[in-house]
Amino acid sequence: MAAKALQRQHSDPLCAYIYDLDSLSQHVQAVVECLPPQCEMFYATKANPALPLLRTLAPWVHGLEVASGGELQWVQRHFPDVPVIFGGPGKLVSELQHAVESEVELIHVESLLELKRLKAITEKARRTQNILLRINLNLPEMATTRLTMGGVPTPFGMDEETLQQALSMLGSAAYLKLKGFHFHLMSHQLEPDRHLALMQAYFRRVRDWEKDYGLQIEQINVGGGIGINYVEPGQQFDWPYFCGKMTDLLEKEAAPEWCIRFECGRFLAAACGYYVTEVLDIKHSQGEAFAVCRGGTHHFRTPAAQSHNHPFEAMSLTDPAAQSQTGLHHQAVTLVGQLCTPKDVLARGVNVPVLDVGDLVIFTYAGAYAWNISHKDFLMHPPPVEYFLGETMT
Ligand SMILES: Cc1ncc(COP(=O)(O)O)c(C=O)c1O
Protein backbone atom coordinates (compact mmCIF):
# COMPACT_ATOMS: atom_id res chain seq x y z
CA MET A 1 0.00 0.00 0.00
CA ALA A 2 2.78 2.40 0.99
CA ALA A 3 4.58 1.48 -2.22
CA LYS A 4 1.55 2.26 -4.38
CA ALA A 5 1.00 5.58 -2.61
CA LEU A 6 4.64 6.52 -3.12
CA GLN A 7 4.42 5.59 -6.77
CA ARG A 8 1.46 7.92 -7.22
CA GLN A 9 3.43 10.75 -5.61
CA HIS A 10 6.32 10.56 -8.08
CA SER A 11 6.21 11.53 -11.71
CA ASP A 12 9.20 9.35 -12.61
CA PRO A 13 9.06 5.56 -12.15
CA LEU A 14 9.48 4.64 -8.50
CA CYS A 15 12.61 3.47 -6.77
CA ALA A 16 12.48 3.51 -2.97
CA TYR A 17 13.53 2.00 0.31
CA ILE A 18 10.60 1.57 2.66
CA TYR A 19 11.29 0.72 6.30
CA ASP A 20 8.53 -0.48 8.61
CA LEU A 21 9.62 0.91 11.96
CA ASP A 22 6.70 -0.55 13.91
CA SER A 23 7.60 -4.05 12.82
CA LEU A 24 11.28 -3.34 13.61
CA SER A 25 10.41 -2.29 17.11
CA GLN A 26 8.16 -5.32 17.67
CA HIS A 27 10.79 -7.68 16.31
CA VAL A 28 13.65 -6.27 18.37
CA GLN A 29 11.52 -6.20 21.49
CA ALA A 30 10.58 -9.87 20.99
CA VAL A 31 14.20 -10.86 20.32
CA VAL A 32 15.45 -9.11 23.46
CA GLU A 33 12.62 -10.40 25.65
CA CYS A 34 13.50 -13.95 24.66
CA LEU A 35 17.13 -13.64 25.78
CA PRO A 36 18.18 -15.97 28.59
CA PRO A 37 19.25 -14.48 31.91
CA GLN A 38 22.77 -13.04 31.94
CA CYS A 39 22.56 -12.19 28.20
CA GLU A 40 22.51 -8.80 26.51
CA MET A 41 21.81 -7.70 22.95
CA PHE A 42 23.76 -4.89 21.28
CA TYR A 43 22.95 -3.74 17.75
CA ALA A 44 25.75 -3.88 15.17
CA THR A 45 25.40 -0.41 13.67
CA LYS A 46 27.15 -1.44 10.46
CA ALA A 47 24.06 -3.41 9.41
CA ASN A 48 22.15 -0.16 8.94
CA PRO A 49 23.08 3.11 10.63
CA ALA A 50 20.02 5.10 9.42
CA LEU A 51 18.85 7.33 12.26
CA PRO A 52 15.16 6.36 12.22
CA LEU A 53 16.20 2.70 12.60
CA LEU A 54 18.65 3.49 15.38
CA ARG A 55 16.04 5.60 17.17
CA THR A 56 13.57 2.73 16.92
CA LEU A 57 16.04 0.10 18.09
CA ALA A 58 17.85 1.99 20.80
CA PRO A 59 15.16 1.77 23.49
CA TRP A 60 15.08 -2.03 23.24
CA VAL A 61 18.71 -3.07 22.91
CA HIS A 62 21.34 -2.86 25.65
CA GLY A 63 23.62 -0.72 23.51
CA LEU A 64 25.24 -0.13 20.15
CA GLU A 65 28.30 -1.78 18.64
CA VAL A 66 30.36 0.34 16.26
CA ALA A 67 33.17 -0.78 13.98
CA SER A 68 34.73 2.47 12.78
CA GLY A 69 35.55 5.97 13.97
CA GLY A 70 32.73 7.24 11.75
CA GLU A 71 30.13 4.98 13.36
CA LEU A 72 31.49 5.87 16.79
CA GLN A 73 31.03 9.60 16.22
CA TRP A 74 27.62 9.04 14.64
CA VAL A 75 26.15 7.13 17.57
CA GLN A 76 27.83 9.33 20.19
CA ARG A 77 26.37 12.43 18.55
CA HIS A 78 22.84 11.06 18.33
CA PHE A 79 22.70 8.70 21.32
CA PRO A 80 24.92 10.20 24.02
CA ASP A 81 23.29 8.11 26.75
CA VAL A 82 23.42 4.71 25.05
CA PRO A 83 26.31 2.34 25.93
CA VAL A 84 28.74 1.99 23.03
CA ILE A 85 31.31 -0.71 22.33
CA PHE A 86 33.99 -0.25 19.69
CA GLY A 87 35.30 -3.16 17.61
CA GLY A 88 36.52 -3.78 14.10
CA PRO A 89 39.88 -4.19 12.39
CA GLY A 90 42.33 -1.41 11.49
CA LYS A 91 41.33 1.16 14.08
CA LEU A 92 43.31 4.39 13.67
CA VAL A 93 45.34 5.75 16.59
CA SER A 94 43.21 8.91 16.42
CA GLU A 95 40.05 6.79 16.65
CA LEU A 96 41.41 4.85 19.62
CA GLN A 97 42.36 8.12 21.30
CA HIS A 98 38.89 9.48 20.75
CA ALA A 99 37.32 6.27 22.08
CA VAL A 100 39.41 6.42 25.25
CA GLU A 101 38.76 10.12 25.81
CA SER A 102 35.03 9.74 25.24
CA GLU A 103 34.85 6.73 27.60
CA VAL A 104 33.36 4.06 25.38
CA GLU A 105 32.29 1.15 27.51
CA LEU A 106 34.61 -1.36 25.88
CA ILE A 107 37.13 -1.58 23.07
CA HIS A 108 37.45 -4.94 21.34
CA VAL A 109 41.16 -5.30 20.63
CA GLU A 110 41.95 -6.90 17.30
CA SER A 111 45.74 -7.39 17.37
CA LEU A 112 48.88 -7.22 19.49
CA LEU A 113 49.87 -3.97 17.78
CA GLU A 114 46.49 -2.46 18.57
CA LEU A 115 46.95 -3.53 22.19
CA LYS A 116 50.38 -1.84 22.24
CA ARG A 117 48.91 1.37 20.79
CA LEU A 118 46.07 1.35 23.27
CA LYS A 119 48.51 0.80 26.14
CA ALA A 120 50.50 3.85 25.05
CA ILE A 121 47.36 5.98 24.58
CA THR A 122 45.89 5.11 27.98
CA GLU A 123 49.24 5.65 29.76
CA LYS A 124 49.68 9.06 28.14
CA ALA A 125 46.10 10.10 28.94
CA ARG A 126 46.19 8.38 32.36
CA ARG A 127 42.76 7.01 31.64
CA THR A 128 41.55 3.51 32.39
CA GLN A 129 39.97 1.62 29.51
CA ASN A 130 38.05 -1.64 29.66
CA ILE A 131 38.82 -4.04 26.84
CA LEU A 132 37.96 -7.44 25.38
CA LEU A 133 40.48 -9.41 23.36
CA ARG A 134 39.01 -10.64 20.08
CA ILE A 135 40.20 -14.19 19.57
CA ASN A 136 40.15 -16.27 16.43
CA LEU A 137 39.66 -19.75 17.86
CA ASN A 138 40.97 -22.95 16.39
CA LEU A 139 37.94 -25.17 16.37
CA PRO A 140 38.70 -28.29 14.35
CA GLU A 141 35.40 -29.82 15.46
CA MET A 142 33.58 -27.03 13.62
CA ALA A 143 35.47 -27.48 10.38
CA THR A 144 32.43 -28.56 8.40
CA THR A 145 30.36 -25.50 9.29
CA ARG A 146 30.44 -22.22 7.44
CA LEU A 147 33.05 -20.41 9.52
CA THR A 148 33.55 -17.28 7.52
CA MET A 149 35.12 -14.91 10.02
CA GLY A 150 37.29 -17.21 12.08
CA GLY A 151 38.54 -20.71 12.72
CA VAL A 152 40.42 -20.26 9.44
CA PRO A 153 43.21 -17.84 8.46
CA THR A 154 41.64 -14.40 8.80
CA PRO A 155 42.61 -10.77 9.42
CA PHE A 156 40.07 -10.59 12.27
CA GLY A 157 41.12 -10.83 15.91
CA MET A 158 44.16 -12.61 17.29
CA ASP A 159 45.02 -16.24 16.93
CA GLU A 160 44.69 -18.21 20.13
CA GLU A 161 48.43 -18.81 20.15
CA THR A 162 49.08 -15.10 20.77
CA LEU A 163 46.94 -15.00 23.91
CA GLN A 164 49.87 -15.61 26.24
CA GLN A 165 51.74 -12.70 24.67
CA ALA A 166 48.71 -10.41 24.91
CA LEU A 167 48.24 -11.29 28.57
CA SER A 168 51.87 -10.54 29.40
CA MET A 169 51.54 -7.16 27.66
CA LEU A 170 48.46 -6.52 29.77
CA GLY A 171 50.47 -7.40 32.89
CA SER A 172 52.39 -4.15 32.44
CA ALA A 173 49.46 -2.05 31.17
CA ALA A 174 48.26 -0.24 34.27
CA TYR A 175 45.39 1.51 32.51
CA LEU A 176 43.97 -1.40 30.53
CA LYS A 177 41.46 -3.68 32.22
CA LEU A 178 40.76 -7.01 30.59
CA LYS A 179 37.06 -7.71 31.03
CA GLY A 180 36.83 -10.73 28.78
CA PHE A 181 36.88 -12.09 25.26
CA HIS A 182 35.19 -11.40 21.99
CA PHE A 183 34.35 -13.96 19.31
CA HIS A 184 32.64 -13.52 15.98
CA LEU A 185 33.48 -16.58 13.94
CA MET A 186 30.49 -16.92 11.71
CA SER A 187 28.04 -14.96 9.60
CA HIS A 188 24.81 -16.19 8.00
CA GLN A 189 24.12 -18.76 10.69
CA LEU A 190 20.77 -20.36 10.02
CA GLU A 191 21.02 -23.41 12.26
CA PRO A 192 20.42 -22.89 15.99
CA ASP A 193 22.04 -26.19 16.99
CA ARG A 194 25.26 -25.32 15.20
CA HIS A 195 25.26 -21.93 16.82
CA LEU A 196 24.75 -23.53 20.22
CA ALA A 197 27.74 -25.80 19.57
CA LEU A 198 29.79 -22.70 18.85
CA MET A 199 28.60 -21.03 22.08
CA GLN A 200 29.56 -24.16 24.00
CA ALA A 201 33.02 -24.10 22.45
CA TYR A 202 33.46 -20.43 23.44
CA PHE A 203 32.38 -21.06 27.02
CA ARG A 204 34.63 -24.09 27.44
CA ARG A 205 37.60 -22.27 26.02
CA VAL A 206 37.10 -19.27 28.30
CA ARG A 207 36.83 -21.58 31.30
CA ASP A 208 40.15 -23.19 30.28
CA TRP A 209 41.80 -19.79 29.97
CA GLU A 210 40.46 -18.70 33.33
CA LYS A 211 42.07 -21.77 34.84
CA ASP A 212 45.30 -21.73 32.83
CA TYR A 213 46.03 -18.03 33.23
CA GLY A 214 44.32 -17.28 36.56
CA LEU A 215 41.81 -14.90 34.97
CA GLN A 216 38.43 -13.77 36.25
CA ILE A 217 36.31 -13.01 33.25
CA GLU A 218 33.22 -10.80 33.42
CA GLN A 219 32.16 -10.67 29.83
CA ILE A 220 32.01 -12.89 26.75
CA ASN A 221 30.92 -11.20 23.55
CA VAL A 222 29.67 -13.91 21.22
CA GLY A 223 29.35 -11.59 18.21
CA GLY A 224 26.50 -11.44 15.76
CA GLY A 225 26.10 -13.67 12.75
CA ILE A 226 22.53 -14.93 13.11
CA GLY A 227 21.50 -15.21 9.48
CA ILE A 228 18.53 -14.41 7.32
CA ASN A 229 17.29 -17.15 5.06
CA TYR A 230 17.04 -15.30 1.76
CA VAL A 231 16.54 -18.51 -0.22
CA GLU A 232 13.64 -19.86 1.83
CA PRO A 233 12.26 -16.78 3.57
CA GLY A 234 9.61 -18.88 5.34
CA GLN A 235 12.35 -20.77 7.22
CA GLN A 236 14.07 -18.25 9.46
CA PHE A 237 16.47 -18.88 12.37
CA ASP A 238 14.40 -20.18 15.27
CA TRP A 239 15.34 -17.63 17.92
CA PRO A 240 12.94 -18.83 20.68
CA TYR A 241 14.28 -22.39 20.30
CA PHE A 242 17.87 -21.10 20.36
CA CYS A 243 17.22 -19.02 23.48
CA GLY A 244 15.57 -21.94 25.27
CA LYS A 245 18.54 -24.21 24.62
CA MET A 246 20.95 -21.39 25.41
CA THR A 247 19.41 -21.11 28.88
CA ASP A 248 20.22 -24.79 29.47
CA LEU A 249 23.70 -24.35 28.07
CA LEU A 250 24.41 -21.38 30.30
CA GLU A 251 23.30 -23.32 33.35
CA LYS A 252 25.66 -26.15 32.45
CA GLU A 253 28.67 -24.37 31.04
CA ALA A 254 28.80 -20.72 32.07
CA ALA A 255 30.01 -19.08 35.24
CA PRO A 256 27.14 -17.17 36.90
CA GLU A 257 29.14 -13.94 36.90
CA TRP A 258 29.67 -13.92 33.13
CA CYS A 259 27.68 -11.46 31.05
CA ILE A 260 27.07 -12.91 27.59
CA ARG A 261 26.69 -10.23 24.99
CA PHE A 262 25.37 -10.60 21.45
CA GLU A 263 25.99 -7.94 18.82
CA CYS A 264 23.61 -8.78 15.98
CA GLY A 265 22.96 -6.69 12.91
CA ARG A 266 21.33 -8.55 10.05
CA PHE A 267 18.96 -10.56 12.23
CA LEU A 268 17.61 -7.41 13.85
CA ALA A 269 17.35 -5.04 10.90
CA ALA A 270 16.91 -7.00 7.67
CA ALA A 271 13.22 -7.83 7.89
CA CYS A 272 11.98 -4.26 8.33
CA GLY A 273 13.36 -3.03 5.00
CA TYR A 274 11.96 -3.22 1.46
CA TYR A 275 13.61 -2.12 -1.75
CA VAL A 276 10.86 -1.18 -4.17
CA THR A 277 11.51 -0.72 -7.84
CA GLU A 278 9.29 -0.11 -10.85
CA VAL A 279 9.63 -2.14 -14.04
CA LEU A 280 10.84 0.18 -16.81
CA ASP A 281 11.05 -2.26 -19.67
CA ILE A 282 10.61 -5.94 -20.46
CA LYS A 283 12.88 -7.40 -23.10
CA HIS A 284 13.60 -10.76 -24.64
CA SER A 285 17.07 -11.80 -25.64
CA GLN A 286 18.00 -15.14 -27.16
CA GLY A 287 15.09 -16.90 -25.51
CA GLU A 288 15.32 -15.26 -22.07
CA ALA A 289 13.15 -12.54 -20.53
CA PHE A 290 14.64 -9.54 -18.73
CA ALA A 291 12.80 -6.94 -16.67
CA VAL A 292 14.78 -3.71 -16.47
CA CYS A 293 13.95 -2.08 -13.14
CA ARG A 294 14.46 1.45 -11.86
CA GLY A 295 17.64 1.48 -9.76
CA GLY A 296 19.77 -1.63 -9.41
CA THR A 297 22.75 -2.94 -7.47
CA HIS A 298 24.17 0.58 -6.96
CA HIS A 299 21.20 1.05 -4.60
CA PHE A 300 20.76 -2.51 -3.49
CA ARG A 301 24.01 -4.41 -3.49
CA THR A 302 22.81 -7.26 -1.27
CA PRO A 303 22.06 -9.80 -4.03
CA ALA A 304 25.38 -9.10 -5.77
CA ALA A 305 27.28 -9.20 -2.46
CA GLN A 306 25.67 -12.48 -1.45
CA SER A 307 25.50 -13.98 -4.97
CA HIS A 308 21.89 -14.91 -4.45
CA ASN A 309 18.51 -14.29 -6.02
CA HIS A 310 16.99 -11.85 -3.60
CA PRO A 311 13.44 -12.74 -2.47
CA PHE A 312 10.77 -10.43 -3.83
CA GLU A 313 7.10 -10.03 -4.50
CA ALA A 314 5.80 -8.60 -7.74
CA MET A 315 2.90 -6.18 -7.33
CA SER A 316 0.93 -6.06 -10.54
CA LEU A 317 -0.64 -2.67 -11.12
CA THR A 318 -1.68 -3.14 -14.68
CA ASP A 319 -5.20 -3.90 -15.77
CA PRO A 320 -5.34 -7.68 -16.38
CA ALA A 321 -7.85 -7.07 -19.18
CA ALA A 322 -5.50 -4.73 -21.01
CA GLN A 323 -3.86 -6.22 -24.08
CA SER A 324 -0.28 -5.72 -22.99
CA GLN A 325 2.43 -6.12 -25.64
CA THR A 326 5.12 -6.64 -23.03
CA GLY A 327 3.65 -8.48 -20.04
CA LEU A 328 4.95 -11.81 -18.78
CA HIS A 329 2.65 -14.58 -17.56
CA HIS A 330 3.99 -17.49 -15.52
CA GLN A 331 7.38 -17.10 -16.97
CA ALA A 332 11.00 -17.02 -15.83
CA VAL A 333 12.54 -13.57 -15.83
CA THR A 334 15.83 -11.99 -14.81
CA LEU A 335 15.39 -8.77 -12.85
CA VAL A 336 18.13 -6.28 -13.69
CA GLY A 337 18.80 -2.63 -12.90
CA GLN A 338 19.84 0.40 -14.95
CA LEU A 339 23.61 -0.08 -14.79
CA CYS A 340 25.73 -0.78 -17.88
CA THR A 341 27.15 -3.98 -16.48
CA PRO A 342 25.97 -7.58 -16.72
CA LYS A 343 26.56 -7.83 -12.95
CA ASP A 344 23.60 -5.57 -12.24
CA VAL A 345 21.29 -8.49 -11.48
CA LEU A 346 18.84 -8.57 -8.57
CA ALA A 347 17.36 -12.02 -9.25
CA ARG A 348 18.07 -14.38 -12.12
CA GLY A 349 15.66 -16.72 -13.94
CA VAL A 350 12.87 -16.51 -11.37
CA ASN A 351 9.27 -17.39 -12.12
CA VAL A 352 6.67 -14.63 -11.91
CA PRO A 353 2.91 -15.10 -12.21
CA VAL A 354 2.52 -11.76 -14.01
CA LEU A 355 4.87 -8.88 -14.58
CA ASP A 356 4.53 -5.86 -16.79
CA VAL A 357 6.01 -2.44 -17.37
CA GLY A 358 4.83 -0.13 -14.58
CA ASP A 359 4.49 -2.95 -12.02
CA LEU A 360 6.35 -2.76 -8.75
CA VAL A 361 8.88 -5.34 -7.58
CA ILE A 362 9.26 -5.37 -3.81
CA PHE A 363 12.45 -6.95 -2.50
CA THR A 364 12.00 -8.10 1.09
CA TYR A 365 14.67 -8.43 3.84
CA ALA A 366 16.34 -5.28 2.54
CA GLY A 367 16.84 -3.54 5.89
CA ALA A 368 20.42 -4.66 6.54
CA TYR A 369 23.61 -4.45 4.47
CA ALA A 370 21.59 -3.03 1.58
CA TRP A 371 21.55 0.72 0.82
CA ASN A 372 24.50 1.40 3.14
CA ILE A 373 26.80 -1.11 1.41
CA SER A 374 25.91 -0.02 -2.13
CA HIS A 375 28.16 1.83 -4.61
CA LYS A 376 25.75 4.74 -4.75
CA ASP A 377 27.64 7.07 -7.07
CA PHE A 378 28.21 4.70 -9.96
CA LEU A 379 26.64 6.14 -13.12
CA MET A 380 25.24 9.16 -11.27
CA HIS A 381 21.71 7.85 -11.09
CA PRO A 382 19.67 9.62 -8.41
CA PRO A 383 19.31 7.90 -5.03
CA PRO A 384 16.16 6.00 -4.11
CA VAL A 385 13.48 7.69 -2.04
CA GLU A 386 13.75 6.67 1.62
CA TYR A 387 10.49 6.29 3.48
CA PHE A 388 10.20 5.36 7.14
CA LEU A 389 6.74 4.05 7.98
CA GLY A 390 5.76 4.83 11.57
CA GLU A 391 8.41 7.49 12.01
CA THR A 392 7.59 10.04 14.67
CA MET A 393 9.14 13.44 14.17
CA THR A 394 11.09 14.70 17.17
C1 LIG B 1 32.71 -8.29 14.85
C2 LIG B 1 31.34 -8.29 14.29
N1 LIG B 1 30.30 -8.24 15.13
C3 LIG B 1 29.02 -8.22 14.67
C4 LIG B 1 28.75 -8.27 13.32
C5 LIG B 1 27.33 -8.26 12.86
O1 LIG B 1 27.08 -9.41 12.17
P1 LIG B 1 25.59 -9.77 11.70
O2 LIG B 1 25.05 -8.59 11.01
O3 LIG B 1 25.79 -10.95 10.82
O4 LIG B 1 24.82 -10.10 12.94
C6 LIG B 1 29.82 -8.35 12.40
C7 LIG B 1 29.58 -8.40 10.97
O5 LIG B 1 30.43 -8.49 10.14
C8 LIG B 1 31.15 -8.35 12.90
O6 LIG B 1 32.20 -8.41 12.09
Side-chain angles (χ1 to χ4, degrees), residues 254-270:
E257 64 275 13
W258 288 350
C259 166
I260 310 298
R261 189 171 274 176
F262 291 84
E263 48 181 36
C264 292
R266 190 182 306 272
F267 186 61
L268 297 183

Side-chain angles (χ1 to χ4, degrees), residues 4 33 78 87 99 140 149 163 211 222 241 244 292 300 333:
K4 276 190 195 172
E33 275 175 7
H78 295 286
M149 309 283 278
L163 179 55
K211 207 154 35 81
V222 294
Y241 168 84
V292 182
F300 182 45
V333 62

Side-chain angles (χ1 to χ4, degrees), residues 44 46-47 65 88 110 134 149 156 182 184 186-188 223-227 263-267 369:
K46 65 175 85 61
E65 182 260 357
E110 288 266 341
R134 180 173 179 182
M149 309 283 278
F156 306 113
H182 177 281
H184 174 85
M186 184 179 288
S187 295
H188 302 292
I226 308 294
E263 48 181 36
C264 292
R266 190 182 306 272
F267 186 61
Y369 306 106

Side-chain angles (χ1 to χ4, degrees), residues 62-370:
H62 295 88
L64 298 170
E65 182 260 357
V66 298
S68 74
E71 285 186 352
L72 178 58
Q73 305 235 14
W74 180 247
V75 304
Q76 283 177 331
R77 176 154 25 113
H78 295 286
F79 303 91
D81 301 325
V82 173
V84 178
I85 53 178
F86 183 24
K91 298 180 197 74
L92 304 182
V93 169
S94 57
E95 293 170 340
L96 290 170
Q97 266 163 350
H98 172 76
V100 169
E101 277 157 22
S102 59
E103 298 180 348
V104 299
E105 189 196 308
L106 276 167
I107 296 179
H108 303 160
V109 179
E110 288 266 341
S111 73
L112 289 175
L113 182 55
E114 193 169 285
L115 191 59
K116 199 169 151 197
R117 287 176 176 149
L118 206 47
K119 179 173 178 286
I121 290 167
T122 51
E123 279 167 2
K124 192 161 173 224
R126 294 173 181 271
R127 277 178 184 271
T128 300
Q129 178 63 53
N130 292 331
I131 61 162
L132 302 185
L133 295 177
R134 180 173 179 182
I135 306 290
N136 177 17
L137 285 187
N138 297 321
L139 291 173
E141 70 270 25
M142 305 297 292
T144 56
T145 63
R146 203 175 154 208
L147 292 180
T148 50
M149 309 283 278
V152 291
T154 142
F156 306 113
M158 308 174 207
D159 277 6
E160 237 176 308
E161 292 70 26
T162 58
L163 179 55
Q164 170 82 71
Q165 222 181 321
L167 293 176
S168 32
M169 273 173 75
L170 279 170
S172 64
Y175 293 94
L176 291 179
K177 295 272 171 279
L178 179 68
K179 291 287 172 181
F181 296 98
H182 177 281
F183 306 100
H184 174 85
L185 296 197
M186 184 179 288
S187 295
H188 302 292
Q189 177 62 273
L190 292 175
E191 299 190 32
D193 287 321
R194 280 192 177 179
H195 213 56
L196 287 159
L198 201 57
M199 302 294 114
Q200 184 182 51
Y202 295 163
F203 300 159
R204 289 190 174 175
R205 204 57 62 95
V206 173
R207 269 221 183 275
D208 289 346
W209 294 335
E210 282 192 317
K211 207 154 35 81
D212 295 349
Y213 300 110
L215 304 171
Q216 273 212 320
I217 290 315
E218 292 172 35
Q219 166 128 194
I220 302 177
N221 185 314
V222 294
I226 308 294
I228 287 292
N229 194 340
Y230 297 104
V231 179
E232 291 179 276
Q235 304 285 316
Q236 295 301 339
F237 187 94
D238 190 343
W239 182 253
Y241 168 84
F242 172 77
C243 288
K245 293 277 178 188
M246 183 80 176
T247 305
D248 302 341
L249 186 67
L250 286 164
E251 260 172 41
K252 253 178 49 201
E253 307 270 358
E257 64 275 13
W258 288 350
C259 166
I260 310 298
R261 189 171 274 176
F262 291 84
E263 48 181 36
C264 292
R266 190 182 306 272
F267 186 61
L268 297 183
C272 79
Y274 301 85
Y275 179 61
V276 181
T277 163
E278 185 168 332
V279 178
L280 301 175
D281 198 355
I282 291 187
K283 302 164 75 171
H284 297 268
S285 170
Q286 307 199 4
E288 288 187 24
F290 293 85
V292 182
C293 302
R294 181 82 202 271
T297 53
H298 56 306
H299 293 167
F300 182 45
R301 199 173 146 243
T302 320
Q306 299 301 331
S307 307
H308 70 205
N309 281 343
H310 205 90
F312 70 92
E313 285 163 29
M315 188 186 273
S316 175
L317 301 171
T318 41
D319 177 0
Q323 294 291 309
S324 164
Q325 300 293 307
T326 52
L328 302 173
H329 294 266
H330 297 286
Q331 215 174 319
V333 62
T334 293
L335 302 172
V336 300
Q338 295 174 282
L339 301 183
C340 315
T341 158
K343 294 194 173 165
D344 189 21
V345 175
L346 303 170
R348 186 182 297 280
V350 284
N351 281 304
V352 285
V354 281
L355 193 68
D356 207 345
V357 171
D359 287 352
L360 294 179
V361 179
I362 301 179
F363 291 92
T364 51
Y365 295 100
Y369 306 106

